[in-house]
Amino acid sequence: MTIGKIPAGEAVPVELGDRSYKIEIGRGLLKQVGTLAEHFAPGGRCAIVTDANVNAAQGEKLRAGLDAAQIEHATIEVPAGEKSKSTDMLDQVVDQLLAARLERSDLVLAFGGGVVGDLAGFAAAVTRRGMRFIQIPTSLLAQVDSSVGGKTGINSRHGKNLIGAFHQPVHVLIDLDVLTTLPNREFRAGYAEVVKYGLIKFPDFFKWLEQNHNAVFAHEEALAEAIAKSCEAKAEIVKNDETEKGERALLNLGHTFGHALEGFTSYDSDRLIHGEGVAIGMVLAHEFSNRLNLCSIDDVARMKAHLQTVGLPTTISDIPGDLPNADTLMDFIAQDKKVVRGSLTFILTNGIGKAYIANEIPPCEVNAFLKDRLSK
Amino acid sequence: MTIGKIPAGEAVPVELGDRSYKIEIGRGLLKQVGTLAEHFAPGGRCAIVTDANVNAAQGEKLRAGLDAAQIEHATIEVPAGEKSKSTDMLDQVVDQLLAARLERSDLVLAFGGGVVGDLAGFAAAVTRRGMRFIQIPTSLLAQVDSSVGGKTGINSRHGKNLIGAFHQPVHVLIDLDVLTTLPNREFRAGYAEVVKYGLIKFPDFFKWLEQNHNAVFAHEEALAEAIAKSCEAKAEIVKNDETEKGERALLNLGHTFGHALEGFTSYDSDRLIHGEGVAIGMVLAHEFSNRLNLCSIDDVARMKAHLQTVGLPTTISDIPGDLPNADTLMDFIAQDKKVVRGSLTFILTNGIGKAYIANEIPPCEVNAFLKDRLSK
């Protein structure tokens, strides 16, 4: 399959039977949110779930869109940051949805980055046994990854995303304009997930990114194209395997190592944010694959070079502060959910665009690899 | 449709496409739980979620069944009673499932009455974005109603069952032997839900109950038949409307009034338990239907007489302690989730076996009816 089949300006479909929906990508779309809400819930009401930063920067624009269509709305604001993906915050959001007397026929609008999308989507999934929601992602990472595919959830003290639901949105609205207020570091971290699709199974897309990354970072038309291609790639994978019984696990490329690094840095965003962890994790996955004679050293060098070119961290030592040792990282890896009956499941690769799911990786192999990496 | 088509001893199927499962009804079934767990999760592990009372009375028997098949298991015990359907208890159960390192391929066993089934099923729904679970209901109410159909959830300060998920079990195991330790009052309350199926759409079943209730209460073979017929009725309704967009709401007959009465008594089980609230609620629904010239006074008298014969409460004044006034009950009714765009949805009836969903009932009609009832 090649991606990029959808003509510019057309919505990307996510085909999931009676749970199908569209991803709409463009500029100035926030203004149209009223029409959209009226389409999905005629005469109904909306609750906007958002974080303090997004609310301050973009909240008024969204509410103006709803007001223009005379749609009643409530706003539920949570603190910005990964810590909001907690049971406490979930309880608060659900309680506020109920306090606002939202009915099952009303709508939740998840307006923010990955944290807000995961939290608000999960709150919608469990309020009144399932309310409909629209994803309105405001970070590049959320636009190309977390807002599409229906994974929602929060973190547990036992690990990331261990509590949640598969709950598909009824629509995804991607307004490129909201990215103009996104800090560069966040944009770059989101770009790591864009690169991921190329590395998993779309080598032509990876090549396209090598050629067009400057235009993407300059918010030119290439940005819309990169987002659309990423959404198409994700939609294709999710269509084949909605609840991650197989292929969908490919989307975890770099995430097992990445989550362990995030855990080690206690989700301290001064040190490491999710996309950065994924960038380092993807390099580690390629290096580990090379160590197992699966992937050429040239492919490792090529993917690492591209991530470095755009300014992403690519080694554990790029993380400021003290470094973990291999055993500490192994503890975090063992806590990760991608563990089946004691042996580890990793996404490994035979080269750029050739990732695959490797079950039964002996933990000692991973440990030896990490020891080797950390001694360099 | 007539129910009772399934030959005695055969499992009742719940047909829901790839979420289909069987309800197995018989005596001495707890012993076979190991075989069952091995079938659904070969080589896997189990977590038993149960309450203190059931654990004390029946826990060893269940664990012996798992031990016999050499299946590793953990037990998670919660306090008995409706108060365990809380966000706090949910968080604790999920945390313990994760602490026990249960994987997505392992199994949760919901072993208890309606509270445990709702709580454990919801915990299974949100742990690792959905674990499989088996319902092993130990109360008559759970066996004939809450364990079948996939409704799971907990209560909110805004009302009952407002937080939850549709999450179907992979199997329902109904062992009649566990009912021998069930208090008479609980058995009788569960019987109210059995009667409900007859009143909704199976008038022959209602007639059969009028003739066979003594044998049912004596735990004779008629008990297995009554449970099987109830499960068939529920399976039929759930098959047609899994997520309650229509017909499934019929199962709420008596529940809007019943929930309001439970809310008014603060879920104090000394005063009122769920099935008792449903019994009074069903009488009120018939009386209200009669007031609206929908249902004959003979049918009201007939259904009320049967509930009285088995010792169930049938009027609000049967509840010990102070009585509510109509306005208080209306507040509880307005909080109930069966409210769409401000007007009330009630399950009304044209007579025994002829219930239907009535939208847009004016709240003032209900209020006048309750005022009238409470002045008598």
Side-chain angles (χ1 to χ4, degrees):
Chain A
M1 178 238 186
T2 51
I3 51 172
K5 290 176 305 189
I6 314 286
E10 290 220 356
V12 177
V14 184
E15 285 154 20
L16 291 167
D18 58 4
R19 292 182 304 288
S20 295
Y21 54 95
K22 285 186 175 152
I23 308 167
E24 212 179 330
I25 303 162
R27 292 188 193 272
L29 296 183
L30 284 195
K31 272 186 296 214
Q32 302 169 22
V33 71
T35 320
L36 197 64
E38 185 61 29
H39 169 75
F40 283 105
R45 299 157 70 216
C46 290
I48 302 165
V49 180
T50 188
D51 73 27
N53 295 347
V54 172
N55 198 19
Q58 314 272 358
E60 283 317 313
K61 216 188 276 182
L62 188 71
R63 281 183 285 271
L66 293 169
D67 288 337
Q70 295 181 293
I71 289 167
E72 257 191 83
H73 52 83
T75 298
I76 300 171
E77 186 187 290
V78 302
E82 186 76 22
K83 292 208 165 61
S84 282
K85 281 178 65 173
S86 66
T87 52
D88 273 0
M89 202 52 71
L90 175 78
D91 293 347
Q92 285 182 42
V93 172
V94 170
D95 190 74
Q96 287 181 63
L97 289 173
L98 292 170
R101 298 246 165 156
L102 256 73
E103 298 169 5
R104 244 180 111 186
S105 49
D106 293 327
L107 278 179
V108 174
L109 308 182
F111 186 50
V115 167
V116 163
D118 284 6
L119 174 68
F122 188 34
V126 301
T127 301
R128 297 178 183 275
R129 294 206 184 92
M131 292 184 62
R132 293 171 306 162
F133 79 115
I134 295 177
Q135 287 276 20
I136 311 177
T138 60
S139 70
L140 181 57
L141 188 137
Q143 292 184 344
V144 300
D145 184 18
S146 57
S147 70
V148 175
K151 273 196 185 180
T152 70
I154 56 176
N155 302 327
S156 147
R157 67 186 173 103
H158 301 288
K160 264 190 89 145
N161 297 324
L162 288 178
I163 308 172
F166 287 97
H167 186 54
Q168 299 293 344
V170 293
H171 195 84
V172 181
L173 191 76
I174 298 181
D175 188 341
L176 299 179
D177 288 347
V178 301
L179 297 179
T180 52
T181 57
L182 190 72
N184 286 338
R185 187 182 168 204
E186 295 281 346
F187 188 92
R188 200 182 294 124
Y191 184 78
E193 300 275 10
V194 175
V195 174
K196 187 183 74 177
Y197 295 109
L199 295 176
I200 291 173
K201 62 181 269 191
F202 303 104
D204 291 350
F205 182 45
F206 181 77
K207 195 172 167 188
W208 183 89
L209 289 171
E210 286 180 312
Q211 292 159 351
N212 293 279
H213 64 88
N214 280 330
V216 171
F217 276 78
H219 291 247
E220 290 171 15
E221 205 42 42
L223 173 57
E225 210 169 325
I227 293 172
K229 283 176 173 169
S230 297
C231 288
E232 264 187 271
K234 179 134 188 193
E236 159 89 6
I237 290 167
V238 168
K239 184 182 82 175
N240 295 337
D241 177 24
E242 186 179 3
T243 57
E244 196 167 318
K245 288 176 178 131
E247 180 185 355
R248 185 165 181 164
L250 291 177
L251 297 169
N252 294 325
L253 176 68
H255 281 60
T256 300
F257 288 125
H259 283 168
L261 293 170
E262 283 182 276
F264 167 70
T265 55
S266 309
Y267 300 99
D268 176 354
S269 60
D270 288 340
R271 295 183 66 192
L272 190 73
I273 56 178
H274 178 66
E276 294 170 343
V278 169
I280 300 172
M282 291 193 300
V283 176
L284 289 171
H286 280 71
E287 288 174 337
F288 187 42
S289 299
N290 172 252
R291 184 185 165 100
L292 300 174
N293 291 316
L294 298 165
C295 170
S296 77
I297 194 73
D298 289 351
D299 275 359
V300 177
R302 186 177 160 203
M303 59 83 65
K304 191 169 173 175
H306 182 59
L307 295 172
Q308 279 171 336
T309 299
V310 302
L312 279 163
T314 56
T315 71
I316 299 177
S317 58
D318 286 340
I319 303 171
D322 57 320
L323 291 181
N325 62 42
D327 292 339
T328 311
L329 286 183
M330 283 307 294
D331 283 347
F332 281 105
I333 286 172
Q335 268 184 25
D336 200 81
K337 69 185 159 175
K338 285 167 281 303
V339 177
V340 176
R341 308 223 187 287
S343 77
L344 294 170
T345 297
F346 263 86
I347 311 305
L348 297 180
T349 186
N350 289 309
I352 286 165
K354 295 177 189 162
Y356 71 97
I357 302 162
N359 298 310
E360 307 193 6
I361 298 292
C364 61
E365 282 278 358
V366 185
N367 198 328
F369 164 70
L370 286 172
K371 275 211 170 69
D372 184 55
R373 279 289 93 195
L374 287 159
S375 67
K376 280 178 183 165
Chain B
M1 179 236 186
T2 52
I3 51 171
K5 291 177 305 190
I6 314 287
E10 289 219 357
V12 177
V14 185
E15 284 153 21
L16 291 167
D18 58 3
R19 293 182 304 288
S20 295
Y21 54 95
K22 286 187 175 152
I23 308 166
E24 212 179 330
I25 303 161
R27 294 188 192 271
L29 296 183
L30 284 194
K31 273 188 295 215
Q32 301 170 22
V33 71
T35 320
L36 197 65
E38 185 62 28
H39 169 75
F40 284 105
R45 299 154 71 215
C46 290
I48 302 164
V49 180
T50 187
D51 73 25
N53 295 347
V54 172
N55 198 19
Q58 314 272 358
E60 284 317 312
K61 216 188 275 184
L62 188 70
R63 282 183 285 271
L66 293 168
D67 288 337
Q70 295 181 293
I71 289 167
E72 258 190 81
H73 52 84
T75 297
I76 300 171
E77 187 187 290
V78 302
E82 185 78 22
K83 292 210 165 60
S84 282
K85 281 178 65 173
S86 67
T87 52
D88 274 1
M89 202 53 69
L90 176 78
D91 293 348
Q92 285 181 42
V93 172
V94 170
D95 190 74
Q96 287 182 62
L97 289 173
L98 291 169
R101 298 247 166 155
L102 255 74
E103 298 169 4
R104 245 180 108 187
S105 49
D106 292 327
L107 278 178
V108 174
L109 308 182
F111 186 50
V115 167
V116 163
D118 284 5
L119 174 68
F122 188 33
V126 300
T127 301
R128 298 179 182 275
R129 292 204 186 91
M131 293 184 62
R132 295 172 304 163
F133 79 115
I134 295 177
Q135 287 275 21
I136 311 176
T138 60
S139 70
L140 180 58
L141 188 137
Q143 292 183 346
V144 300
D145 184 16
S146 57
S147 70
V148 175
K151 274 197 183 179
T152 70
I154 56 176
N155 302 328
S156 145
R157 67 187 174 103
H158 300 287
K160 263 190 90 146
N161 298 323
L162 288 178
I163 309 173
F166 286 97
H167 187 54
Q168 299 292 345
V170 294
H171 196 84
V172 181
L173 191 76
I174 298 181
D175 188 341
L176 299 180
D177 287 347
V178 302
L179 297 179
T180 52
T181 58
L182 190 72
N184 285 340
R185 185 180 169 205
E186 294 281 346
F187 188 92
R188 200 182 294 124
Y191 184 80
E193 299 276 11
V194 174
V195 173
K196 186 184 73 178
Y197 296 109
L199 294 176
I200 291 173
K201 62 182 267 191
F202 304 104
D204 291 349
F205 182 45
F206 181 78
K207 195 171 167 189
W208 184 88
L209 290 170
E210 287 179 311
Q211 291 159 352
N212 292 278
H213 64 89
N214 280 330
V216 171
F217 276 77
H219 292 248
E220 290 171 15
E221 205 42 41
L223 173 56
E225 211 170 324
I227 294 172
K229 283 176 173 170
S230 298
C231 289
E232 265 187 271
K234 177 134 188 192
E236 159 90 5
I237 290 167
V238 168
K239 184 182 84 176
N240 294 338
D241 177 24
E242 186 179 2
T243 57
E244 196 167 317
K245 287 173 178 133
E247 182 185 353
R248 186 167 179 163
L250 290 177
L251 297 170
N252 294 325
L253 176 68
H255 281 61
T256 299
F257 288 124
H259 283 168
L261 293 170
E262 282 183 276
F264 166 71
T265 54
S266 311
Y267 301 100
D268 176 352
S269 60
D270 287 340
R271 296 182 65 193
L272 191 73
I273 56 179
H274 179 65
E276 293 169 345
V278 169
I280 300 172
M282 292 192 301
V283 176
L284 289 171
H286 280 70
E287 289 174 337
F288 187 42
S289 299
N290 172 253
R291 184 184 164 100
L292 300 173
N293 291 316
L294 298 164
C295 170
S296 75
I297 194 71
D298 289 351
D299 275 359
V300 177
R302 185 177 160 203
M303 59 83 65
K304 192 169 173 178
H306 182 58
L307 295 172
Q308 279 171 335
T309 300
V310 302
L312 279 162
T314 55
T315 72
I316 300 177
S317 58
D318 285 340
I319 303 171
D322 57 319
L323 290 182
N325 62 43
D327 293 339
T328 311
L329 285 183
M330 282 307 293
D331 283 347
F332 281 105
I333 286 172
Q335 268 185 25
D336 200 82
K337 67 185 162 177
K338 284 167 280 305
V339 177
V340 175
R341 308 225 186 287
S343 78
L344 295 171
T345 296
F346 263 85
I347 311 305
L348 296 182
T349 186
N350 290 309
I352 286 167
K354 295 177 189 163
Y356 71 97
I357 303 163
N359 298 310
E360 309 193 5
I361 297 293
C364 61
E365 282 278 0
V366 185
N367 199 328
F369 164 69
L370 286 171
K371 275 211 172 67
D372 184 55
R373 280 288 94 194
L374 287 159
S375 67
K376 281 178 184 166

